[in-house]
Amino acid sequence: MQRTVLKFGGTSVGDLDRIAHVADLVSWRASQGEKLAVIVSAMAGETNKLVGFARGAAGDNLSGPSFDDEYDVVVSSGEQVTSGLLALALRKRGLKARSWLGWQLAMKTSSAHGKARIMGFENSGLLDAVDGGEIAVIAGFQGVTDEGRVSTLGRGGSDTSAVAVAAALGAESCDIYTDVDGVYTTDPRIVPQARRLDKISYEEMLEMASLGAKVLQTRSVELAMNHQVRVRVLSSFAQPGEDNPGTYVCSEDEIVEKQIVNGVTYSRDEAKVTLYGVEDKPGVSARIFSMLADAGVNVDMIVQANARGPERANMVFTCTSADSENAEKLLLNSKADIGFESLSVSRDVAKVSVIGVGMKSHTGVAGTMFDALYRKGINIDVISTSEIKISVLIDAAYTELAVRALHTAFGLDAT
Ligand code: ADP
Ligand code: ASP
Ligand code: MG
């Protein structure tokens, strides 16, 4: 029996006409004999609106245990609406369908409200319903904690809901329908010459997602890789039955033609923190970064330079701009304890990265990258590398220029 999971993002269910179109697509898939679970996001813009409501109601108290659980109750409601609407639209087309909310599945998650991790499903009859030919329309993004409270999976989390359901159902494929027709070499909205990839490896997709390509939530790719779920990204704007190949996210060995660089990404959600005159002795870095980790600050690039003579060094690290306020407060509060002279935070920075599994076996990628940036007069602030990516931190004003220059320099432009 072929079970398939389909997921439709915010723009794809943005109004009743779009939901009717989704119902036509789902109805066509069902007519092909597939047993379907369909995950939906909230209507476009809805989650942002709900986040605003939660913040507005809470006043100054915008994080921590007295905010996070009720934040989840509010922001998860957008998906409840679309799951019911799509179920109704499917019934209108004569199909058997019902909505499922996170607690009904039950999709159990950790208690980390706002960024909960999926732990597993309790037996809820979902499998029987799907195998019995009922289309399960599942509210994405939401789950339930062991304490019985509603949780959410972090922004973009419906992708992760879809992959988790696909893994639990042993689905043949997890089709992520969205407002672009696949994964591109870079964001097609800023580089019109971007090319759609037929296939991309889990490893590369994981790097692309975590470095800013928001087409898939990072955790969804991690989960797909761990459970070997075949994910496909395709257009929700296609007509039912129309050729719509999209992009397969699959194992590296399924990809015959390996490029050195397959993608360029950018993230503007970055902040650079510089600590001046940090005492240069064992244990100081450990103290700084353990403290930040304990506070949930996700540190990315780190550079230490001996610019203050033998006793003192400067230390630079990056984190998301959302985390940077917290990081700044924590560090200033323990200034004497850590032992540094001063601190500055810059939020006008962006991280631009090139990604490709071919880097494992090719040299010269860094040289090509730095040369392309130099030719556009773009200064590189911080550099970090892994086996399959190189990232640089630059002035945010040059983000698009840098992405375009790198896309061209690595021969990715469509002809
Ligand atoms: P959905 O609402 O369907 O979840 P998202 O807005 O989360 O959709 O993700 C789709 C968007 O991701 C596209 O509109 C596109 O602008 C952006 N994007 C960024 N990088 C890429 C990329 N490399 N390939 C495709 N889309 C990308
Ligand atoms: N609606 C949620 C968000 O906007 C989840 C999602 O779209 O995947 O983040
Ligand atoms: Mg998304």
Side-chain angles (χ1 to χ4, degrees):
M1 184 165 327
Q2 182 174 340
R3 300 184 196 114
T4 311
V5 169
L6 314 178
K7 180 253 167 180
F8 293 89
T11 313
S12 311
V13 293
D15 57 34
L16 288 180
D17 287 340
R18 301 278 344 135
I19 290 176
H21 179 71
V22 167
D24 290 338
L25 287 171
V26 174
S27 163
W28 182 79
R29 296 287 300 244
S31 73
Q32 303 301 297
E34 293 175 296
K35 303 288 188 196
L36 298 170
V38 185
I39 283 74
V40 286
S41 292
M43 290 174 167
E46 197 58 26
T47 310
N48 286 346
K49 194 174 91 186
L50 294 167
V51 169
F53 283 161
R55 292 199 170 140
D60 293 335
N61 179 21
L62 297 183
S63 65
S66 62
F67 176 70
D68 299 344
D69 55 345
E70 299 303 345
Y71 164 92
D72 276 354
V73 173
V74 175
V75 302
S76 62
S77 64
E79 275 72 11
Q80 172 163 346
V81 173
T82 41
S83 63
L85 291 175
L86 181 58
L88 289 171
L90 290 168
R91 287 180 185 174
K92 184 177 164 189
R93 285 159 179 74
L95 293 159
K96 244 175 33 168
R98 73 154 270 200
S99 62
W100 293 80
L101 302 182
W103 64 270
Q104 293 169 322
L105 287 172
M107 187 183 286
K108 298 306 284 286
T109 73
S110 68
S111 308
H113 286 284
K115 47 175 186 249
R117 293 190 86 97
I118 299 173
M119 314 301 270
F121 290 84
E122 279 182 354
N123 187 0
S124 61
L126 176 71
L127 192 65
D128 290 343
V130 169
D131 285 351
E134 187 174 78
I135 300 173
V137 185
I138 298 172
F141 184 49
Q142 53 174 260
V144 62
T145 68
D146 274 341
E147 294 78 39
R149 301 300 316 267
V150 173
S151 54
T152 64
L153 309 177
R155 298 307 303 271
S158 299
D159 298 328
T160 305
S161 309
V163 174
V165 170
L169 293 181
E172 207 97 330
S173 168
C174 179
D175 284 357
I176 308 281
Y177 282 89
T178 184
D179 55 9
V180 282
D181 64 353
V183 178
Y184 277 71
T185 46
T186 193
D187 189 343
R189 298 196 195 283
I190 74 161
V191 181
Q193 299 90 335
R195 278 189 292 114
R196 181 175 58 78
L197 299 163
D198 292 331
K199 289 180 177 174
I200 183 166
S201 68
Y202 290 118
E203 233 182 331
E204 285 170 315
M205 192 64 238
L206 193 59
E207 288 282 14
M208 282 187 58
S210 71
L211 294 169
K214 68 168 188 160
V215 61
L216 288 175
Q217 197 198 35
T218 308
R219 275 194 198 159
S220 71
V221 187
E222 213 171 53
L223 203 61
M225 187 158 87
N226 291 340
H227 293 267
Q228 292 292 299
V229 174
R230 281 184 76 79
V231 171
R232 185 164 63 131
V233 176
L234 66 172
S235 171
S236 68
F237 288 81
Q239 295 306 313
E242 190 184 323
D243 186 37
N244 188 12
T247 300
Y248 278 103
V249 186
C250 57
S251 305
E252 196 186 321
D253 45 1
E254 282 187 51
I255 300 171
V256 186
E257 220 184 302
K258 293 188 180 66
Q259 304 294 328
I260 300 175
V261 167
N262 241 335
V264 182
T265 61
Y266 65 93
S267 163
R268 290 196 182 91
D269 179 25
E270 305 287 329
K272 182 179 83 163
V273 180
T274 309
L275 294 170
Y276 298 96
V278 182
E279 273 188 78
D280 195 9
K281 61 175 192 197
V284 174
S285 304
R287 213 173 318 142
I288 295 173
F289 294 107
S290 309
M291 181 182 77
L292 293 170
D294 291 345
V297 174
N298 225 330
V299 171
D300 182 19
M301 303 161 138
I302 303 175
V303 180
Q304 183 176 323
N306 281 60
R308 292 277 171 132
E311 307 291 308
R312 298 267 166 182
N314 289 345
M315 170 109 60
V316 177
F317 70 86
T318 66
C319 60
T320 64
S321 41
D323 277 350
S324 65
E325 265 175 51
N326 197 8
E328 185 175 6
K329 250 188 261 162
L330 282 167
L331 288 165
L332 286 174
N333 285 343
S334 8
K335 190 171 169 206
D337 184 36
I338 296 170
F340 63 92
E341 288 164 2
S342 60
L343 169 158
S344 77
V345 181
S346 158
R347 296 184 181 86
D348 298 325
V349 290
K351 184 171 60 183
V352 176
S353 312
V354 299
I355 296 122
V357 283
M359 273 185 221
K360 286 182 189 172
S361 51
H362 284 80
T363 54
V365 178
T368 307
M369 181 179 194
F370 302 159
D371 185 61
L373 296 172
Y374 157 70
R375 282 170 194 282
K376 296 288 178 195
I378 300 169
N379 189 45
I380 300 170
D381 211 344
V382 185
I383 301 166
S384 74
T385 64
S386 81
E387 213 183 5
I388 66 162
K389 66 109 186 189
I390 302 175
S391 300
V392 295
L393 198 72
I394 61 169
D395 184 332
Y398 298 111
T399 312
E400 300 196 0
L401 182 64
V403 170
R404 290 201 188 101
L406 294 172
H407 199 265
T408 306
F410 286 100
L412 296 174
D413 289 353
T415 42

